[in-house]
Amino acid sequence: MAIESDQRTTDAPTSPTGGVDYESVPADYLAARQLKKGAAGWVLLAGLGVSYVISGDYAGWNLGLAQGGFGGMLIATLVMGAMYLCMVLTLAELSAALPTAGGGYSFARRALGPWGGYLTGTAILLEYALAPAAIAVFIGGYVNALVGIDGWVVYLGSYLIFVGIHLWGVGEALKTMFVISLLAVLAIGVFAVGMAPHFDAANLFDIAVNERATGASAFLPEGYIGVWAALPFAIWLFLAVEGVPLAAEEAADPARDMPRGIITAMLVLILFGALVLALAPGGAGADFMKDHGAPLVGALEAVYGEGSALAAFVNWVGLSGLIASFFSIIYAYSRQVFALSRAGYLPRALSVTNRRKAPVLALVVPGLLGFLLSLTGEGDLMLTMAVFGATISYALMTFSHIVLRRTEPDLERPYRTPGGTLTAGVALALSVVAFLSTFLANQDAAIWSGAFYLAMVAYFFFYSRHHLVANAPEEEFEAIALAERELG
């Protein structure tokens, strides 16, 4: 859509829709908010999807062993893997049909109106603002194991370096991200080769059985409730793969590249999740792994001894796995903030881009918030808070797919989800189950997340819903529909 660079205003709809009001903006408003087109093909998008998540293979998932033992974590992973696979197939259709930087927010905006869009976008933002803070804490654990340095110095350095690379430009950032992800994949391969000969199924069941828990056994040492409590940690093996659609406006051919990229990423992540879940506790023991800060390194040290060359290699190179997810989720939160801001849901200054088409404040402001949160050192708390936001967004995105299939059957869909609304329905039901599990895993995290979410809802209710931008890509279809109704 061509925008002239002058100060004339673009007319807003003359009447509110969905309980919101639109404001006129200068004609060059969108010209100051442009992302770089054609920066990513499907291979880079698949790499982006893997990079979002791969830190979950290096740290965090193993905390689920403490909640449910190996059996509880295994069942939780199978259930959450099914949820993510169904959701990814759902998002593949939506991202090809509605390729904007808003991702899940734009899908819900189209299906559920301004309130649905905002609730989805805010839930995604909660996930992406908190996940890097949790990963920064895990990076600190790996760096501490290597050189004895941890805490705020590591957290601050991580944010400064990787936000800085994103400010340099998206093409450079995505290529750097892809190289880092390849290193992380290499380290998982080395880990798998090193641990496979030492696998012993008996090691999976060495956690003491809680005799007071209903259904407790060596397979489920915390009983049936342990499966439920392990769900948020199983999610960590896949969390944020849904962020691939946020790159839609920067994809070379969204209709073709988005489905191929996100589905490929999901298949790779299923393989990696299976490897670490089986081999780390299977070689070193589930009890040893259940609270280890660097489980892959710890597993190798348990087998080959501290200071072994293999453990050192995975520690040094494996640090790239945490960096890859940290780096890529910074990209994700910046695009979500950019899209919400461009449409007026968040302060508009956050979406202004620099000469290299990078949204400066959308990168810096959440980064500052994340750094401050990382100072708590509570990686597991922030992990659960991120899952709280993620599962809300999953429910709303998959419900949006069902709604759009019924309300807009003629919408052009270059890719169609196998199983259609049934697939989306499975993801929707499981996302509700996952959301409820956050209250069991960490009630404090759920309460804090809920408080933040309600504060953002209040901002929309009292202010931003009266100041939306009609000609933002996610809003433009509504303005066209309103104009057609007025003409009719």
Side-chain angles (χ1 to χ4, degrees), residues 61-319:
W61 65 269
N62 56 307
L63 302 177
L65 296 171
Q67 298 289 335
F70 176 76
M73 186 61 185
L74 174 62
I75 295 172
T77 300
L78 291 173
V79 173
M80 291 297 94
M83 179 190 77
Y84 272 93
L85 182 59
C86 290
M87 183 179 68
V88 160
L89 294 173
T90 298
L91 295 181
E93 175 179 308
L94 292 171
S95 60
L98 303 170
T100 70
Y105 136 66
S106 62
F107 309 150
R109 171 63 185 90
R110 183 70 170 253
L112 307 176
W115 271 101
Y118 183 77
L119 292 174
T120 305
T122 302
I124 294 170
L125 187 56
L126 175 62
E127 172 192 355
Y128 290 159
L130 290 168
I135 296 169
V137 175
F138 297 144
I139 289 174
Y142 269 74
V143 172
N144 186 50
L146 286 169
V147 295
I149 300 174
D150 197 354
W152 72 269
V153 174
V154 176
Y155 310 155
L156 180 61
S158 299
Y159 274 102
L160 288 177
I161 291 170
F162 297 113
V163 168
I165 293 175
H166 279 292
L167 291 171
W168 184 20
V170 64
E172 293 78 5
L174 287 176
K175 290 171 185 174
T176 303
M177 198 184 305
F178 192 77
V179 172
I180 295 172
S181 298
L182 287 178
L183 291 174
V185 169
L186 172 64
I188 288 180
V190 170
F191 164 81
V193 170
M195 291 300 298
H198 301 276
F199 176 83
D200 183 347
N203 291 333
L204 300 173
F205 311 111
D206 64 351
I207 294 178
V209 177
N210 179 3
E211 300 292 348
R212 295 174 298 175
T214 303
S217 64
F219 184 71
L220 295 174
E222 294 296 330
Y224 303 132
I225 197 70
V227 177
W228 188 286
L231 290 178
F233 303 97
I235 287 175
W236 200 240
L237 291 168
F238 309 106
L239 183 77
V241 68
E242 75 281 359
V244 173
L246 292 167
E249 289 186 30
E250 293 155 292
D253 182 1
R256 180 180 66 93
D257 294 340
M258 297 307 298
R260 294 176 69 183
I262 193 170
I263 293 171
T264 300
M266 185 62 202
L267 295 177
V268 171
L269 293 168
I270 289 173
L271 173 62
F272 289 170
L275 287 173
V276 299
L277 179 59
L279 294 178
D287 190 60
F288 180 61
M289 287 287 95
K290 68 183 182 183
D291 56 3
H292 201 288
L296 302 196
V297 176
L300 288 168
E301 287 180 340
V303 171
Y304 294 99
E306 291 188 15
S308 68
L310 203 58
F313 174 83
V314 171
N315 201 349
W316 278 105
V317 180
L319 183 60

